[in-house]
């Protein structure tokens, strides 16, 4: 195959970058860095392939890339890309599902444990020298085992979270999804319900659904108001799913006991955000898939997807095929 022009807009392991460089002409430029932004934009004029993540590529930006054939995203979520525009132009969009499922589910269940048992708060209690006697009831947490978990979105990650909850902690699991999902090992352990019923009945509610125009702002004042007194809210999906002012109100004046969040409407989380220092919020810096093993697997899959499309072959994972 003839050599093509590829723009790498997120750091790749050296051996994977070398795989691409052996077969194609490569420009490495991270547009999130001010000093590299102009180089990235200039390289788009000749780009036939893009590989990277964590940067929004809208129609106006992609108009600069008239020869573009494929975007290979090192992510599962594709909300950073203008899907109707890509489809109109026949540009392939690839992602990396599957390889991060178990790791992200681990993170979500860790958030459930942290919020319910107040682990970060109590760790800081020790670090700050305030553990001078046995703790009293004011610092007790709450059990996770046996509690009802509600999951909004029951794809790969939602199912993996349900396995941890139902099989590992004896938690009844309720889920809401547009489709009935059958998971043999969870037969009889999970129940599909309308979203409002999940919110009303669950002790802990976790979001594992994608961000789209249909789901943006899904959790607002009405939805939080349906949740049980003392409920815990967990979001490891996308920050845009949540109306953050409504979440804060539900923590301060509504039913929520605590929230554990790995994602936010604006990332990194602004210093002035009340969520950063709220005493009943456990915030994380979007680490759902951030392990050495998983990020490596994601980069490998994204590289394979990119090279396959540029060679005229079918990629392993395509959200949009090339036309």
């Amino acid at each position: 195959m003839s050599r093509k022009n590829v723009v790498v807009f997120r750091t790749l392991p050296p051996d994977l970058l070398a795989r691409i460089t052996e077969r194609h002409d490569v420009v490495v430029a991270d547009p999130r860095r001010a000093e590299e932004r102009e180089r990235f934009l200039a390289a788009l004029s000749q780009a036939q392939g893009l590989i990277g993540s964590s940067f929004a590529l809208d129609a106006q930006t992609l108009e600069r890339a008239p020869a573009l054939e494929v975007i290979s995203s090192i992510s599962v979520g594709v909300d950073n890309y203008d899907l109707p525009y890509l489809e109109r132009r026949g540009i392939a969009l690839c992602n990396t599902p599957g390889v991060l499922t178990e790791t992200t589910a681990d993170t979500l269940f860790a958030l459930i444990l942290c919020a319910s048992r107040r682990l970060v708060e109590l760790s800081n209690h020790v670090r700050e020298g305030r553990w001078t006697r046995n703790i009293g009831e004011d610092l007790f947490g709450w059990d996770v085992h046996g509690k009802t978990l509600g999951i909004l979105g029951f794809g790969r990650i939602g199912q993996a979270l349900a396995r941890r909850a139902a099989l590992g902690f004896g938690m009844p699991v309720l889920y809401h999804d547009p489709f009935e999902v059958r998971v043999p090992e969870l037969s009889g352990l999970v129940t599909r319900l309308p979203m409002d019923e999940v919110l009303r009945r669950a002790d802990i509610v976790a979001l594992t659904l994608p961000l789209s125009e249909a789901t943006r702002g899904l959790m607002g004042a009405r939805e939080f108001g349906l949740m049980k007194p003392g409920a815990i809210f967990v979001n490891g999906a996308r920050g845009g799913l949540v109306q953050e002012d409504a979440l804060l109100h539900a923590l301060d004046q509504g039913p929520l006991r605590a929230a554990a969040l790995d994602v936010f409407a604006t990332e990194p989380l602004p210093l002035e955000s009340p969520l950063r220092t709220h005493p009943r919020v456990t915030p994380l810096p979007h680490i759902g898939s951030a392990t050495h093993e998983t990020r490596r697997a994601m980069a490998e899959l994204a590289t394979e997807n990119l090279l396959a499309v540029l060679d005229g072959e079918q990629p392993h994972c395509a959200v949009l095929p090339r036309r």
Side-chain angles (χ1 to χ4, degrees):
M1 301 294 292
S2 61
R3 294 181 72 85
K4 296 185 176 182
N5 297 308
V6 173
V7 177
V8 177
F9 63 97
R10 186 71 186 260
T11 301
L12 283 175
D15 61 315
L16 297 181
L17 181 61
R19 277 185 63 188
I20 301 172
T21 304
E22 286 171 5
R23 297 165 63 175
H24 301 290
D25 298 324
V26 174
V27 172
V28 179
D30 187 341
R32 297 170 305 162
R33 297 175 179 168
E35 66 273 18
E36 298 184 25
R37 181 70 182 268
E38 287 304 317
R39 185 153 57 94
F40 169 78
L41 293 174
L44 290 179
S45 64
Q46 302 296 320
Q48 291 153 296
L50 298 177
I51 181 170
S53 66
S54 302
F55 183 75
L57 292 171
D58 57 18
Q60 183 177 4
T61 302
L62 293 173
E63 282 290 330
R64 296 169 173 261
L68 190 62
E69 300 175 15
V70 57
I71 300 172
S72 186
S73 187
I74 312 172
S75 66
V76 170
V78 291
D79 47 285
N80 272 329
Y81 310 102
D82 187 330
L83 301 188
Y85 174 84
L86 294 176
E87 191 166 20
R88 285 196 302 273
R89 281 191 52 187
I91 297 169
L93 175 62
C94 303
N95 65 343
T96 60
V99 295
L100 52 67
T101 296
E102 300 299 330
T103 299
T104 305
D106 283 350
T107 303
L108 282 162
F109 206 85
L111 283 170
I112 290 171
L113 286 167
C114 282
S116 192
R117 294 302 304 273
R118 303 170 67 176
L119 299 181
V120 174
E121 177 186 355
L122 292 172
S123 177
N124 289 334
H125 186 75
V126 177
R127 287 177 179 273
E128 294 164 6
R130 291 183 285 124
W131 185 33
T132 58
R133 58 184 177 84
N134 290 343
I135 67 169
E137 290 188 13
D138 61 316
L139 291 177
F140 287 0
W142 295 267
D143 286 335
V144 170
H145 62 270
K147 293 295 195 301
T148 298
L149 174 63
I151 302 176
L152 303 186
F154 209 58
R156 291 182 180 90
I157 294 170
Q159 294 167 38
L161 179 61
R163 287 196 299 271
R164 285 156 175 75
L167 302 177
F169 284 75
M171 301 175 73
V173 175
L174 311 175
Y175 77 91
H176 174 69
D177 194 89
F179 306 101
E180 182 78 37
V181 181
R182 300 193 181 279
V183 183
E185 64 266 40
L186 294 176
S187 179
L189 300 175
V190 300
T191 303
R192 178 176 175 241
L193 291 173
M195 177 174 156
D196 285 2
E197 280 303 299
V198 174
L199 294 174
R200 288 189 183 102
R201 294 171 54 177
D203 299 300
I204 302 162
V205 172
L207 302 190
T208 63
L209 67 169
L211 178 64
S212 67
E213 287 311 307
T215 61
R216 188 177 298 277
L218 178 73
M219 292 296 298
R222 188 191 78 86
E223 290 72 25
F224 284 119
L226 293 174
M227 294 176 65
K228 294 170 66 172
I232 291 172
F233 176 71
V234 176
N235 188 9
R238 285 292 186 268
L241 297 166
V242 178
Q243 298 174 39
E244 292 181 345
D245 56 346
L247 171 59
L248 285 162
H249 185 272
L251 286 163
D252 292 334
Q253 302 180 44
L256 291 189
R257 169 178 291 149
L261 310 170
D262 187 37
V263 290
F264 302 89
T266 300
E267 297 180 358
L269 185 64
L271 291 178
E272 63 273 16
S273 170
L275 293 171
R276 186 177 66 85
T277 55
H278 196 287
R280 288 187 285 124
V281 172
T282 301
L284 292 179
H286 202 151
I287 63 163
S289 63
T291 66
H292 293 288
E293 299 93 337
T294 295
R295 289 293 174 86
R296 168 73 194 193
M298 292 169 67
E300 286 180 349
L301 181 53
T303 298
E304 291 167 4
N305 286 335
L306 173 81
L307 294 176
V309 175
L310 292 178
D311 285 349
E313 300 171 358
Q314 289 296 322
H316 294 283
C317 311
V319 177
L320 295 173
R322 188 183 174 212
R323 296 199 316 270

